[in-house]
PDB file of all heavy atoms in Angstrom:
ATOM      1  N   ASP A  40       6.025   4.631 -15.658  1.00  0.00           N
ATOM      2  CA  ASP A  40       6.993   4.299 -14.543  1.00  0.00           C
ATOM      3  C   ASP A  40       8.449   4.802 -14.903  1.00  0.00           C
ATOM      4  O   ASP A  40       8.778   4.625 -16.085  1.00  0.00           O
ATOM      5  CB  ASP A  40       7.077   2.790 -14.324  1.00  0.00           C
ATOM      6  CG  ASP A  40       7.989   2.465 -13.106  1.00  0.00           C
ATOM      7  OD1 ASP A  40       9.134   2.810 -13.029  1.00  0.00           O
ATOM      8  OD2 ASP A  40       7.547   1.738 -12.128  1.00  0.00           O
ATOM      9  N   ARG A  42      11.232   3.843 -14.639  1.00  0.00           N
ATOM     10  CA  ARG A  42      12.117   3.007 -15.144  1.00  0.00           C
ATOM     11  C   ARG A  42      12.001   2.840 -16.695  1.00  0.00           C
ATOM     12  O   ARG A  42      12.895   2.263 -17.257  1.00  0.00           O
ATOM     13  CB  ARG A  42      11.940   1.606 -14.457  1.00  0.00           C
ATOM     14  CG  ARG A  42      12.482   1.586 -13.050  1.00  0.00           C
ATOM     15  CD  ARG A  42      12.154   0.340 -12.325  1.00  0.00           C
ATOM     16  NE  ARG A  42      10.628   0.450 -11.847  1.00  0.00           N
ATOM     17  CZ  ARG A  42      10.086  -0.371 -11.149  1.00  0.00           C
ATOM     18  NH1 ARG A  42      10.805  -1.271 -10.554  1.00  0.00           N
ATOM     19  NH2 ARG A  42       8.809  -0.262 -10.700  1.00  0.00           N
ATOM     20  N   TRP A  43      10.907   3.379 -17.217  1.00  0.00           N
ATOM     21  CA  TRP A  43      10.763   3.119 -18.682  1.00  0.00           C
ATOM     22  C   TRP A  43      10.613   4.475 -19.308  1.00  0.00           C
ATOM     23  O   TRP A  43      10.340   4.635 -20.520  1.00  0.00           O
ATOM     24  CB  TRP A  43       9.462   2.359 -18.943  1.00  0.00           C
ATOM     25  CG  TRP A  43       9.703   0.926 -18.786  1.00  0.00           C
ATOM     26  CD1 TRP A  43      10.241  -0.043 -19.532  1.00  0.00           C
ATOM     27  CD2 TRP A  43       9.279   0.091 -17.535  1.00  0.00           C
ATOM     28  NE1 TRP A  43      10.381  -1.235 -19.059  1.00  0.00           N
ATOM     29  CE2 TRP A  43       9.749  -1.134 -17.777  1.00  0.00           C
ATOM     30  CE3 TRP A  43       8.728   0.512 -16.368  1.00  0.00           C
ATOM     31  CZ2 TRP A  43       9.567  -2.225 -16.711  1.00  0.00           C
ATOM     32  CZ3 TRP A  43       8.539  -0.460 -15.355  1.00  0.00           C
ATOM     33  CH2 TRP A  43       8.987  -1.848 -15.566  1.00  0.00           C
ATOM     34  N   LEU A  58       5.229   7.446 -11.919  1.00  0.00           N
ATOM     35  CA  LEU A  58       5.188   6.670 -10.577  1.00  0.00           C
ATOM     36  C   LEU A  58       6.539   5.938 -10.712  1.00  0.00           C
ATOM     37  O   LEU A  58       7.253   5.887 -11.715  1.00  0.00           O
ATOM     38  CB  LEU A  58       4.139   5.674 -10.459  1.00  0.00           C
ATOM     39  CG  LEU A  58       4.295   4.324 -11.083  1.00  0.00           C
ATOM     40  CD1 LEU A  58       3.479   3.309 -10.310  1.00  0.00           C
ATOM     41  CD2 LEU A  58       3.906   4.210 -12.483  1.00  0.00           C
ATOM     42  N   ARG A  59       7.041   5.472  -9.527  1.00  0.00           N
ATOM     43  CA  ARG A  59       8.131   4.531  -9.482  1.00  0.00           C
ATOM     44  C   ARG A  59       7.452   3.419  -8.729  1.00  0.00           C
ATOM     45  O   ARG A  59       7.115   3.472  -7.409  1.00  0.00           O
ATOM     46  CB  ARG A  59       9.286   5.147  -8.778  1.00  0.00           C
ATOM     47  CG  ARG A  59      10.395   4.223  -8.353  1.00  0.00           C
ATOM     48  CD  ARG A  59      11.418   3.941  -9.369  1.00  0.00           C
ATOM     49  NE  ARG A  59      12.167   2.705  -8.964  1.00  0.00           N
ATOM     50  CZ  ARG A  59      13.388   2.426  -9.343  1.00  0.00           C
ATOM     51  NH1 ARG A  59      14.004   3.190 -10.210  1.00  0.00           N
ATOM     52  NH2 ARG A  59      13.922   1.231  -9.031  1.00  0.00           N
ATOM     53  N   GLY A  60       7.336   2.190  -9.355  1.00  0.00           N
ATOM     54  CA  GLY A  60       6.614   1.020  -8.696  1.00  0.00           C
ATOM     55  C   GLY A  60       7.484   0.438  -7.597  1.00  0.00           C
ATOM     56  O   GLY A  60       8.672   0.978  -7.392  1.00  0.00           O
ATOM     57  N   GLY A  61       7.034  -0.532  -7.016  1.00  0.00           N
ATOM     58  CA  GLY A  61       7.735  -1.150  -5.882  1.00  0.00           C
ATOM     59  C   GLY A  61       9.093  -1.504  -6.229  1.00  0.00           C
ATOM     60  O   GLY A  61       9.358  -2.272  -7.092  1.00  0.00           O
ATOM     61  N   GLY A  62      10.108  -1.198  -5.261  1.00  0.00           N
ATOM     62  CA  GLY A  62      11.556  -1.600  -5.511  1.00  0.00           C
ATOM     63  C   GLY A  62      12.462  -0.484  -5.232  1.00  0.00           C
ATOM     64  O   GLY A  62      12.143   0.733  -5.155  1.00  0.00           O
ATOM     65  N   ASP A 106       4.208   4.019  -3.992  1.00  0.00           N
ATOM     66  CA  ASP A 106       3.441   3.248  -2.987  1.00  0.00           C
ATOM     67  C   ASP A 106       4.072   3.327  -1.646  1.00  0.00           C
ATOM     68  O   ASP A 106       5.072   2.433  -1.357  1.00  0.00           O
ATOM     69  CB  ASP A 106       3.414   1.790  -3.427  1.00  0.00           C
ATOM     70  CG  ASP A 106       2.668   1.624  -4.757  1.00  0.00           C
ATOM     71  OD1 ASP A 106       1.361   1.601  -4.639  1.00  0.00           O
ATOM     72  OD2 ASP A 106       3.267   1.348  -5.867  1.00  0.00           O
ATOM     73  N   ASN A 113      10.063   1.940  -0.002  1.00  0.00           N
ATOM     74  CA  ASN A 113      11.059   1.610  -1.050  1.00  0.00           C
ATOM     75  C   ASN A 113      12.432   2.172  -0.750  1.00  0.00           C
ATOM     76  O   ASN A 113      13.377   1.901  -1.348  1.00  0.00           O
ATOM     77  CB  ASN A 113      10.628   2.098  -2.428  1.00  0.00           C
ATOM     78  CG  ASN A 113       9.366   1.545  -2.883  1.00  0.00           C
ATOM     79  OD1 ASN A 113       9.264   0.305  -2.906  1.00  0.00           O
ATOM     80  ND2 ASN A 113       8.346   2.268  -3.175  1.00  0.00           N
ATOM     81  N   ARG A 169      -3.245 -10.392  -0.623  1.00  0.00           N
ATOM     82  CA  ARG A 169      -3.183  -8.911  -0.108  1.00  0.00           C
ATOM     83  C   ARG A 169      -3.948  -8.799   1.082  1.00  0.00           C
ATOM     84  O   ARG A 169      -4.260  -7.636   1.486  1.00  0.00           O
ATOM     85  CB  ARG A 169      -3.708  -7.994  -1.238  1.00  0.00           C
ATOM     86  CG  ARG A 169      -3.033  -8.137  -2.594  1.00  0.00           C
ATOM     87  CD  ARG A 169      -3.406  -7.029  -3.528  1.00  0.00           C
ATOM     88  NE  ARG A 169      -2.772  -5.761  -3.276  1.00  0.00           N
ATOM     89  CZ  ARG A 169      -2.513  -4.775  -4.170  1.00  0.00           C
ATOM     90  NH1 ARG A 169      -2.933  -4.943  -5.393  1.00  0.00           N
ATOM     91  NH2 ARG A 169      -1.796  -3.715  -3.828  1.00  0.00           N
ATOM     92  N   GLN A 221      -6.982 -10.116  -8.212  1.00  0.00           N
ATOM     93  CA  GLN A 221      -7.442  -9.680  -9.421  1.00  0.00           C
ATOM     94  C   GLN A 221      -8.620 -10.506 -10.014  1.00  0.00           C
ATOM     95  O   GLN A 221      -8.894 -10.413 -11.184  1.00  0.00           O
ATOM     96  CB  GLN A 221      -6.299  -9.520 -10.583  1.00  0.00           C
ATOM     97  CG  GLN A 221      -5.186  -8.907  -9.971  1.00  0.00           C
ATOM     98  CD  GLN A 221      -4.026  -8.632 -10.986  1.00  0.00           C
ATOM     99  OE1 GLN A 221      -4.193  -8.922 -12.153  1.00  0.00           O
ATOM    100  NE2 GLN A 221      -2.917  -8.063 -10.681  1.00  0.00           N
ATOM    101  N   PHE A 254      -8.082  -4.031 -10.089  1.00  0.00           N
ATOM    102  CA  PHE A 254      -7.850  -5.039 -11.163  1.00  0.00           C
ATOM    103  C   PHE A 254      -9.038  -6.059 -11.152  1.00  0.00           C
ATOM    104  O   PHE A 254      -9.292  -6.872 -12.162  1.00  0.00           O
ATOM    105  CB  PHE A 254      -6.687  -5.895 -10.716  1.00  0.00           C
ATOM    106  CG  PHE A 254      -5.437  -5.317 -11.108  1.00  0.00           C
ATOM    107  CD1 PHE A 254      -4.331  -5.205 -10.075  1.00  0.00           C
ATOM    108  CD2 PHE A 254      -5.040  -5.109 -12.366  1.00  0.00           C
ATOM    109  CE1 PHE A 254      -3.108  -4.653 -10.513  1.00  0.00           C
ATOM    110  CE2 PHE A 254      -3.884  -4.460 -12.677  1.00  0.00           C
ATOM    111  CZ  PHE A 254      -2.866  -4.406 -11.847  1.00  0.00           C
ATOM    112  N   ASP A 286      -5.081   1.135 -12.379  1.00  0.00           N
ATOM    113  CA  ASP A 286      -3.909   0.193 -11.815  1.00  0.00           C
ATOM    114  C   ASP A 286      -3.042  -0.129 -12.872  1.00  0.00           C
ATOM    115  O   ASP A 286      -3.253   0.052 -14.049  1.00  0.00           O
ATOM    116  CB  ASP A 286      -4.482  -0.962 -11.059  1.00  0.00           C
ATOM    117  CG  ASP A 286      -3.547  -1.304  -9.918  1.00  0.00           C
ATOM    118  OD1 ASP A 286      -2.341  -1.034  -9.957  1.00  0.00           O
ATOM    119  OD2 ASP A 286      -3.903  -2.067  -9.075  1.00  0.00           O
ATOM    120  N   TRP A 287      -1.792  -0.588 -12.433  1.00  0.00           N
ATOM    121  CA  TRP A 287      -0.677  -0.974 -13.260  1.00  0.00           C
ATOM    122  C   TRP A 287      -1.123  -1.735 -14.583  1.00  0.00           C
ATOM    123  O   TRP A 287      -1.530  -3.092 -14.399  1.00  0.00           O
ATOM    124  CB  TRP A 287       0.155  -1.906 -12.373  1.00  0.00           C
ATOM    125  CG  TRP A 287       1.581  -2.369 -12.859  1.00  0.00           C
ATOM    126  CD1 TRP A 287       1.786  -3.437 -13.720  1.00  0.00           C
ATOM    127  CD2 TRP A 287       2.889  -1.588 -12.657  1.00  0.00           C
ATOM    128  NE1 TRP A 287       3.102  -3.441 -14.081  1.00  0.00           N
ATOM    129  CE2 TRP A 287       3.732  -2.357 -13.329  1.00  0.00           C
ATOM    130  CE3 TRP A 287       3.195  -0.494 -11.999  1.00  0.00           C
ATOM    131  CZ2 TRP A 287       5.119  -2.174 -13.365  1.00  0.00           C
ATOM    132  CZ3 TRP A 287       4.536  -0.211 -11.825  1.00  0.00           C
ATOM    133  CH2 TRP A 287       5.486  -1.066 -12.542  1.00  0.00           C
ATOM    134  N   ASN A 288      -1.056  -1.346 -15.611  1.00  0.00           N
ATOM    135  CA  ASN A 288      -1.626  -2.007 -16.823  1.00  0.00           C
ATOM    136  C   ASN A 288      -3.003  -2.544 -16.724  1.00  0.00           C
ATOM    137  O   ASN A 288      -3.318  -3.551 -17.468  1.00  0.00           O
ATOM    138  CB  ASN A 288      -0.689  -3.110 -17.302  1.00  0.00           C
ATOM    139  CG  ASN A 288       0.752  -2.434 -18.016  1.00  0.00           C
ATOM    140  OD1 ASN A 288       0.602  -1.524 -18.718  1.00  0.00           O
ATOM    141  ND2 ASN A 288       1.753  -3.249 -17.775  1.00  0.00           N
ATOM    142  N   MET A 321      -2.154   4.507 -15.661  1.00  0.00           N
ATOM    143  CA  MET A 321      -0.895   3.871 -15.273  1.00  0.00           C
ATOM    144  C   MET A 321      -0.504   2.919 -16.370  1.00  0.00           C
ATOM    145  O   MET A 321      -0.961   1.709 -16.405  1.00  0.00           O
ATOM    146  CB  MET A 321      -0.991   3.183 -13.884  1.00  0.00           C
ATOM    147  CG  MET A 321       0.303   3.048 -13.136  1.00  0.00           C
ATOM    148  SD  MET A 321       0.193   1.850 -11.830  1.00  0.00           S
ATOM    149  CE  MET A 321      -0.726   2.899 -10.626  1.00  0.00           C
ATOM    150  N   PRO A 323       2.883   1.748 -17.386  1.00  0.00           N
ATOM    151  CA  PRO A 323       4.353   1.938 -16.964  1.00  0.00           C
ATOM    152  C   PRO A 323       5.257   1.842 -18.133  1.00  0.00           C
ATOM    153  O   PRO A 323       6.099   2.536 -18.292  1.00  0.00           O
ATOM    154  CB  PRO A 323       4.614   0.686 -16.045  1.00  0.00           C
ATOM    155  CG  PRO A 323       3.229   0.074 -15.721  1.00  0.00           C
ATOM    156  CD  PRO A 323       2.157   0.606 -16.641  1.00  0.00           C
ATOM    157  N   GLU A 324       5.137   0.826 -19.010  1.00  0.00           N
ATOM    158  CA  GLU A 324       6.033   0.613 -20.110  1.00  0.00           C
ATOM    159  C   GLU A 324       5.412   1.069 -21.461  1.00  0.00           C
ATOM    160  O   GLU A 324       6.129   1.697 -22.332  1.00  0.00           O
ATOM    161  CB  GLU A 324       6.486  -0.837 -20.350  1.00  0.00           C
ATOM    162  CG  GLU A 324       6.774  -1.580 -19.078  1.00  0.00           C
ATOM    163  CD  GLU A 324       5.449  -2.388 -18.631  1.00  0.00           C
ATOM    164  OE1 GLU A 324       4.282  -2.108 -19.033  1.00  0.00           O
ATOM    165  OE2 GLU A 324       5.506  -3.385 -17.678  1.00  0.00           O
ATOM    166  N   TRP A 437       6.259  -5.379  -0.013  1.00  0.00           N
ATOM    167  CA  TRP A 437       6.364  -3.845  -0.096  1.00  0.00           C
ATOM    168  C   TRP A 437       7.227  -3.425   0.900  1.00  0.00           C
ATOM    169  O   TRP A 437       6.953  -2.421   1.699  1.00  0.00           O
ATOM    170  CB  TRP A 437       4.942  -3.319   0.032  1.00  0.00           C
ATOM    171  CG  TRP A 437       3.833  -3.657  -1.037  1.00  0.00           C
ATOM    172  CD1 TRP A 437       2.845  -4.402  -0.815  1.00  0.00           C
ATOM    173  CD2 TRP A 437       3.704  -3.062  -2.232  1.00  0.00           C
ATOM    174  NE1 TRP A 437       2.062  -4.515  -1.853  1.00  0.00           N
ATOM    175  CE2 TRP A 437       2.656  -3.545  -2.779  1.00  0.00           C
ATOM    176  CE3 TRP A 437       4.485  -2.190  -3.084  1.00  0.00           C
ATOM    177  CZ2 TRP A 437       2.234  -3.362  -4.153  1.00  0.00           C
ATOM    178  CZ3 TRP A 437       4.047  -1.885  -4.310  1.00  0.00           C
ATOM    179  CH2 TRP A 437       2.944  -2.444  -4.883  1.00  0.00           C
ATOM    180  N   GLU A 440      11.798  -4.077  -1.602  1.00  0.00           N
ATOM    181  CA  GLU A 440      11.415  -4.660  -2.988  1.00  0.00           C
ATOM    182  C   GLU A 440       9.847  -4.878  -2.871  1.00  0.00           C
ATOM    183  O   GLU A 440       9.223  -5.067  -1.976  1.00  0.00           O
ATOM    184  CB  GLU A 440      12.095  -6.018  -3.203  1.00  0.00           C
ATOM    185  CG  GLU A 440      13.565  -5.874  -3.354  1.00  0.00           C
ATOM    186  CD  GLU A 440      14.019  -4.916  -4.511  1.00  0.00           C
ATOM    187  OE1 GLU A 440      13.139  -4.792  -5.461  1.00  0.00           O
ATOM    188  OE2 GLU A 440      15.020  -4.325  -4.530  1.00  0.00           O
ATOM    189  N   TRP A 441       9.307  -4.894  -4.191  1.00  0.00           N
ATOM    190  CA  TRP A 441       7.846  -5.165  -4.267  1.00  0.00           C
ATOM    191  C   TRP A 441       7.559  -6.384  -3.488  1.00  0.00           C
ATOM    192  O   TRP A 441       6.494  -6.395  -2.680  1.00  0.00           O
ATOM    193  CB  TRP A 441       7.584  -5.281  -5.810  1.00  0.00           C
ATOM    194  CG  TRP A 441       6.217  -5.698  -6.103  1.00  0.00           C
ATOM    195  CD1 TRP A 441       5.100  -5.091  -5.529  1.00  0.00           C
ATOM    196  CD2 TRP A 441       5.624  -6.612  -7.059  1.00  0.00           C
ATOM    197  NE1 TRP A 441       3.924  -5.627  -6.175  1.00  0.00           N
ATOM    198  CE2 TRP A 441       4.329  -6.513  -7.100  1.00  0.00           C
ATOM    199  CE3 TRP A 441       6.402  -7.426  -7.979  1.00  0.00           C
ATOM    200  CZ2 TRP A 441       3.612  -7.333  -7.988  1.00  0.00           C
ATOM    201  CZ3 TRP A 441       5.618  -8.219  -8.757  1.00  0.00           C
ATOM    202  CH2 TRP A 441       4.220  -8.230  -8.744  1.00  0.00           C
ATOM    203  N   GLN A 442       8.234  -7.481  -3.709  1.00  0.00           N
ATOM    204  CA  GLN A 442       7.955  -8.702  -3.021  1.00  0.00           C
ATOM    205  C   GLN A 442       8.581  -8.884  -1.610  1.00  0.00           C
ATOM    206  O   GLN A 442       8.557  -9.891  -0.938  1.00  0.00           O
ATOM    207  CB  GLN A 442       8.429  -9.951  -3.911  1.00  0.00           C
ATOM    208  CG  GLN A 442       7.581 -10.126  -5.171  1.00  0.00           C
ATOM    209  CD  GLN A 442       6.170 -10.410  -4.881  1.00  0.00           C
ATOM    210  OE1 GLN A 442       5.727 -11.183  -4.046  1.00  0.00           O
ATOM    211  NE2 GLN A 442       5.253  -9.834  -5.756  1.00  0.00           N
ATOM    212  N   ALA A 496       3.896 -10.275  -2.167  1.00  0.00           N
ATOM    213  CA  ALA A 496       3.005  -9.246  -2.481  1.00  0.00           C
ATOM    214  C   ALA A 496       1.937  -9.727  -3.669  1.00  0.00           C
ATOM    215  O   ALA A 496       2.283 -10.549  -4.369  1.00  0.00           O
ATOM    216  CB  ALA A 496       3.787  -7.974  -2.963  1.00  0.00           C
ATOM    217  N   GLU A 497       0.774  -9.071  -3.472  1.00  0.00           N
ATOM    218  CA  GLU A 497      -0.162  -9.367  -4.469  1.00  0.00           C
ATOM    219  C   GLU A 497      -0.402 -10.719  -4.852  1.00  0.00           C
ATOM    220  O   GLU A 497      -0.240 -11.574  -3.976  1.00  0.00           O
ATOM    221  CB  GLU A 497       0.185  -8.486  -5.766  1.00  0.00           C
ATOM    222  CG  GLU A 497       0.253  -7.107  -5.471  1.00  0.00           C
ATOM    223  CD  GLU A 497       0.289  -6.069  -6.598  1.00  0.00           C
ATOM    224  OE1 GLU A 497      -0.372  -6.311  -7.610  1.00  0.00           O
ATOM    225  OE2 GLU A 497       1.089  -5.166  -6.540  1.00  0.00           O
ATOM    226  N   GLN A 499       1.259 -13.233  -5.830  1.00  0.00           N
ATOM    227  CA  GLN A 499       2.313 -14.172  -5.368  1.00  0.00           C
ATOM    228  C   GLN A 499       2.000 -14.741  -3.965  1.00  0.00           C
ATOM    229  O   GLN A 499       2.470 -15.725  -3.520  1.00  0.00           O
ATOM    230  CB  GLN A 499       3.685 -13.655  -5.576  1.00  0.00           C
ATOM    231  CG  GLN A 499       3.957 -13.323  -6.910  1.00  0.00           C
ATOM    232  CD  GLN A 499       5.463 -13.114  -7.220  1.00  0.00           C
ATOM    233  OE1 GLN A 499       6.333 -13.836  -6.586  1.00  0.00           O
ATOM    234  NE2 GLN A 499       5.793 -12.238  -8.020  1.00  0.00           N
TER     235      GLN A 499
HETATM  236  C1  BGC B 702       6.338  -3.034  -9.785  1.00  0.00           C
HETATM  237  C2  BGC B 702       5.085  -2.903  -8.767  1.00  0.00           C
HETATM  238  C3  BGC B 702       3.900  -3.274  -9.433  1.00  0.00           C
HETATM  239  C4  BGC B 702       3.972  -4.659 -10.175  1.00  0.00           C
HETATM  240  C5  BGC B 702       2.849  -5.000 -10.896  1.00  0.00           C
HETATM  241  C6  BGC B 702       6.434  -4.481 -10.246  1.00  0.00           C
HETATM  242  O1  BGC B 702       7.464  -4.431 -11.155  1.00  0.00           O
HETATM  243  O2  BGC B 702       7.558  -2.717  -9.126  1.00  0.00           O
HETATM  244  O3  BGC B 702       4.974  -1.652  -8.268  1.00  0.00           O
HETATM  245  O4  BGC B 702       2.876  -3.140  -8.631  1.00  0.00           O
HETATM  246  O5  BGC B 702       5.152  -4.711 -10.918  1.00  0.00           O
HETATM  247  O6  BGC B 702       2.944  -6.183 -11.626  1.00  0.00           O
END
Side-chain angles (χ1 to χ4, degrees):
D40 181 305
R42 285 168 286 191
W43 286 277
L58 89 153
R59 167 87 197 201
D106 295 282
N113 297 307
R169 303 190 83 156
Q221 312 187 1
F254 279 128
D286 204 341
W287 186 278
N288 284 327
M321 196 193 293
E324 319 94 342
W437 296 103
E440 295 301 336
W441 177 44
Q442 293 294 324
E497 303 188 41
Q499 297 197 36

